Amino acid sequence: MAKSAPVGPRLRVVIEPDIAIGPGKADLLEAIRDTGSISAAGRKLGMSYRRAWLLVDELNQHLGAPVVDAVTGGARGGGAVLTPTGAEVLSRYRNMESACRQAIAADVQALRALIRRNQRQK
């Protein structure tokens, strides 16, 4: 089951014209790290294996080094792990998300207060 979107900013970082990372790719990398499988990560996020694989392949192609190493077949059916590059991409993205949340926290709180005030006035 896909997790619901968190309240607050949804950060999409365009690194170069054809290279971007946002919440979907970050969540996928995190799920691969946690499950050890691209297909299990896709299921966890409510996306098809094909969609998950295409996102991983896009990152692998554009970042100059693989973010995920996939092992096919075998007695246990293969699996996937984040490479050091993948772990760094995920870590840096999560750091940027955190910095963004902190930078806008006061404005988000002010908007919530405005909404509550407006709802009481109805």
Side-chain angles (χ1 to χ4, degrees), residues 24-108:
K25 288 177 183 170
D27 289 348
L28 179 59
L29 290 177
E30 201 166 66
I32 291 168
R33 180 198 65 202
D34 295 347
T35 65
S37 162
I38 295 172
S39 60
R43 281 192 302 275
K44 180 178 180 180
L45 298 174
M47 70 174 68
S48 70
Y49 173 79
R50 177 172 166 70
R51 177 72 177 142
W53 173 251
L54 288 173
L55 290 172
V56 167
D57 189 51
E58 181 181 319
L59 286 169
N60 282 346
Q61 295 298 317
H62 288 124
L63 291 175
V67 294
V68 172
D69 276 336
V71 179
T72 57
R76 294 179 22 190
V81 295
L82 292 188
T83 63
T85 297
E88 183 173 354
V89 167
L90 178 59
S91 175
R92 290 189 181 278
Y93 178 81
R94 292 302 188 210
N95 288 342
M96 287 185 278
E97 268 187 329
S98 178
C100 182
R101 272 193 305 277
Q102 290 173 10
I104 68 169
D107 288 316
V108 170

